Amino acid sequence: MHHKIEVENLEFTYPDGRKALHGVTLVVQPGEKVALVGPNGAGKSTLLLHLNGILRGQGTIRVAHLDLADGNLGKIRAAVGLVFQNPDDQLFSPTVFDDVAFGPLHMGLTEATVRTRVQTALAAVGMQDYRDRISHHLSIGEKKRIAIATVLSMEPEILVLDEPTAGLDPRARRTLINLLRQLDMTMLVSTHDMRMVAELFERTVIMEDGRIVASGETATLLADPVLLARHGLEMF
Amino acid sequence: MHIHLHDQYQQAQTLIHGLDARVKVILTVLFILTVSLTPFGAFGAYIALFALIMATALLARIEPTYLLKRSVVALPFALAAITLPFTVPGQTLLTIPVFGGLTVSAEGVIRFVSILIKSWLSLQMAIILVTAFPAILWALRALRIPPPLIAIVSLMYRYLFVLFDEAMRLLRARAARSATQDGTRSGGSLAWRGQVAGRMAGSLMLRSFERSERIYNAMLARGYQGQLLGLEHGHLRSRDLVVAGIMVALLALILLLSRI
């Protein structure tokens, strides 16, 4: 089952007074893979952190047909797999196994189910042999894939990734892109990797200064050099 | 570049590695308790306890030299007892002509050496225990240690390395820009150097603080509700009970003999 993200008129101000989101409205259709691009500080990460209620701004958010409200947080967090930009923040447990098991355990699943889920999630990212490893000793590419496994094990309807290819060498990047292509789920991915955007995402959303400034078919947007230049983006 | 601590010994398949983690934790605590209960100057008991450590290390296929090297970190802490030779009354060994004559007593020296040996013995056993850290966390949880403490230890274990790497990057960045010109000395005054070091420490603290917030968010995003959960790591087997029984008997025997 695929689910939908609906964000309407979302405003958010950081505690230090910096306004990060100015009325963002965004709909991601079930099964759609959408890229979120824009310069650093445009509010991409801030927006993503709203999608499972880590940050709470003003406006309405509906995820997987659930209103984002205190009573629904648990269900929404199970439905939205949010992968953070820095895998060292995402992988906080002593071993890979513990990290991938963290989500399922906190969902209250039985031990047998947790073990199967961990197995399946690690297999999905091609890291089955790493279950007893210590995250610190892995390469960035390996850490990124395991970070994705840590949310896949929760079997979310929606995958939200923050700069998945940042800091990867070409081979690790290619592995990751292939992995994202295989995953058949609703996906919202913030990135600076325009070639990946062109290759992987049907739709692209451009953000700048806390606003969505353009949204449409990736091919159309990327073919508009004036638009890209205006928002500090370039294709090659 | 990463730092590695003791992880190279974690994967072995030996009798000791295969023991239930709870048994290992309890036996280690009992061992340390025995060490602290043996009287001062019971050198025969110390040798017996040391033999026990070496036997365990042998079974766990840990090189004795590795164990000895690692356990040296205990020595500076034992120096807290350095005043004992001067303060414990007893037969005078020698008098040092400072502060109007410090007398060193035989009883004091024995007590100091005993404390040194005891802390060193305790630490060696603890090092053997640490051969499987994640299992120990589970054992502590199973032994009903308060969850916040376990969470702290668990996160410390994970991020100590990350922090260390970060500190090394800071130091390297400083080294890379610490250039000299002909005729001038590099680095400026001591006060200035101190200021640089202080700012680096501050920046490391701020970074850690921000990181802790991101980690907490990552935990929330996966359903964290204030308590770290874990799976069962194993069940008590008869082998665990046999090893525990032998160990407890040996410890009791050593303690008894040292006390008569």
Side-chain angles (χ1 to χ4, degrees):
Chain A
M1 210 167 29
H2 297 306
H3 281 288
K4 195 174 176 181
I5 306 175
E6 296 157 278
V7 178
E8 207 185 319
N9 215 8
L10 183 65
E11 309 250 341
F12 182 74
T13 311
Y14 274 106
D16 65 1
R18 190 166 54 89
K19 192 150 190 195
L21 297 178
H22 300 267
V24 169
T25 300
L26 171 73
V27 176
V28 178
Q29 295 299 335
E32 200 180 18
K33 290 184 180 178
V34 176
L36 185 60
V37 299
N40 289 332
K44 302 189 297 290
S45 300
T46 310
L47 173 60
L48 297 188
L49 285 172
H50 276 85
L51 296 180
N52 66 358
I54 301 292
L55 294 179
R56 305 289 290 274
Q58 290 95 49
T60 26
I61 300 177
R62 277 172 67 78
V63 177
H65 303 296
L66 292 164
D67 277 313
L68 195 99
D70 286 331
N72 283 337
L73 274 185
K75 276 190 234 164
I76 285 185
R77 284 173 184 169
V80 181
L82 178 58
V83 181
F84 288 68
Q85 184 177 345
N86 183 344
D88 270 331
D89 298 339
Q90 177 100 20
L91 305 177
F92 44 72
S93 308
T95 65
V96 168
F97 179 89
D98 291 336
D99 250 320
V100 182
F102 187 94
L105 272 174
H106 284 80
M107 291 161 73
L109 300 174
T110 63
E111 184 176 332
T113 323
V114 171
R115 288 186 190 282
T116 340
R117 290 259 186 126
V118 172
Q119 207 57 39
T120 320
L122 284 176
V125 299
M127 302 295 282
Q128 313 76 314
D129 300 335
Y130 284 68
R131 44 170 287 159
D132 293 322
R133 296 281 290 275
I134 291 166
S135 322
H136 180 69
H137 297 159
L138 307 173
S139 75
I140 300 181
E142 292 165 340
K143 281 185 196 170
K144 287 256 188 187
R145 279 192 276 159
I146 288 168
I148 292 175
T150 64
V151 301
L152 288 184
S153 63
M154 298 167 74
E155 297 187 354
E157 321 274 0
I158 298 164
L159 199 57
V160 176
L161 308 172
D162 198 355
E163 302 203 15
T165 55
L168 295 185
D169 65 31
R171 187 184 296 148
R173 174 179 172 274
R174 179 50 52 197
T175 316
L176 196 104
I177 290 177
N178 290 342
L179 170 65
L180 293 186
R181 181 179 293 121
Q182 282 165 23
L183 294 174
D184 180 27
M185 51 211 309
T186 310
M187 217 181 264
L188 182 61
V189 178
S190 113
T191 184
H192 295 299
D193 186 343
M194 299 306 281
R195 284 191 296 142
M196 173 180 74
V197 171
E199 192 179 325
L200 212 55
F201 299 95
E202 310 97 76
R203 191 153 79 88
T204 299
V205 171
I206 304 180
M207 270 187 93
E208 180 147 24
D209 291 332
R211 292 184 179 85
I212 289 182
V213 291
S215 166
E217 241 180 82
T218 302
T220 322
L221 291 189
L222 295 190
D224 185 346
V226 182
L227 175 76
L228 292 182
R230 196 186 314 140
H231 301 294
L233 300 166
E234 51 190 37
M235 208 31 228
F236 294 107
Chain B
M1 198 156 96
H2 293 311
I3 58 157
H4 292 250
L5 287 182
H6 47 258
D7 301 330
Q8 67 259 45
Y9 287 104
Q10 290 197 350
Q11 301 303 332
Q13 301 286 329
T14 69
L15 172 68
I16 304 294
H17 285 83
L19 279 185
D20 189 281
R22 288 168 295 185
V23 171
K24 281 201 272 194
V25 170
I26 293 173
L27 285 181
T28 305
V29 171
L30 282 181
F31 181 88
I32 292 172
L33 200 67
T34 311
V35 169
S36 54
L37 285 178
T38 48
F40 293 120
F43 293 106
Y46 300 159
I47 291 172
L49 288 167
F50 182 69
L52 202 57
I53 290 174
M54 283 300 140
T56 318
L58 213 65
L59 283 175
R61 291 208 208 99
I62 295 175
E63 288 164 40
T65 47
Y66 166 82
L67 204 55
L68 295 177
K69 253 191 278 175
R70 286 286 312 282
S71 56
V72 171
V73 293
L75 295 182
F77 293 101
L79 286 183
I82 192 80
T83 53
L84 286 175
F86 309 107
T87 53
V88 175
Q91 190 196 348
T92 304
L93 279 183
L94 74 146
T95 309
I96 303 170
V98 286
F99 306 127
L102 276 176
T103 54
V104 176
S105 70
E107 282 81 355
V109 170
I110 287 179
R111 202 176 280 195
F112 173 65
V113 172
S114 303
I115 288 176
L116 208 63
I117 294 176
K118 282 177 168 199
S119 53
W120 181 62
L121 288 175
S122 306
L123 200 78
Q124 289 190 65
M125 202 45 135
I127 290 171
I128 296 179
L129 166 88
V130 176
T131 47
F133 197 84
I136 290 169
L137 288 175
W138 166 77
L140 293 176
R141 200 177 296 134
L143 294 170
R144 305 255 176 277
I145 304 289
L149 281 180
I150 298 170
I152 289 171
V153 174
S154 163
L155 289 170
M156 189 204 73
Y157 176 73
R158 170 70 180 93
Y159 286 103
L160 195 63
F161 303 103
V162 176
L163 264 185
F164 193 90
D165 284 348
E166 197 140 347
M168 281 211 301
R169 281 198 296 274
L170 281 173
L171 289 174
R172 221 176 290 138
R174 181 181 67 172
R177 282 183 283 153
S178 300
T180 43
Q181 270 189 317
D182 280 341
T184 51
R185 207 169 56 86
S186 170
S189 68
L190 189 66
W192 182 80
R193 282 172 188 239
Q195 208 177 34
V196 172
R199 284 187 186 146
M200 281 167 69
S203 124
L204 190 62
M205 214 214 81
L206 275 181
R207 286 185 197 195
S208 315
F209 188 72
E210 285 171 358
R211 182 187 291 279
S212 70
E213 210 138 88
R214 294 196 304 269
I215 295 165
Y216 183 63
N217 283 342
M219 292 168 76
L220 283 183
R222 283 191 272 151
Y224 180 70
Q225 280 144 6
Q227 175 132 215
L228 286 179
L229 305 172
L231 281 182
E232 290 285 311
H233 268 250
H235 304 282
L236 279 183
R237 280 171 296 185
S238 48
R239 193 178 65 183
D240 296 310
L241 300 178
V242 171
V243 172
I246 294 173
M247 188 75 171
V248 170
L250 281 174
L251 289 175
L253 189 69
I254 292 173
L255 190 60
L256 206 68
L257 289 175
S258 74
R259 286 256 156 197
I260 341 176

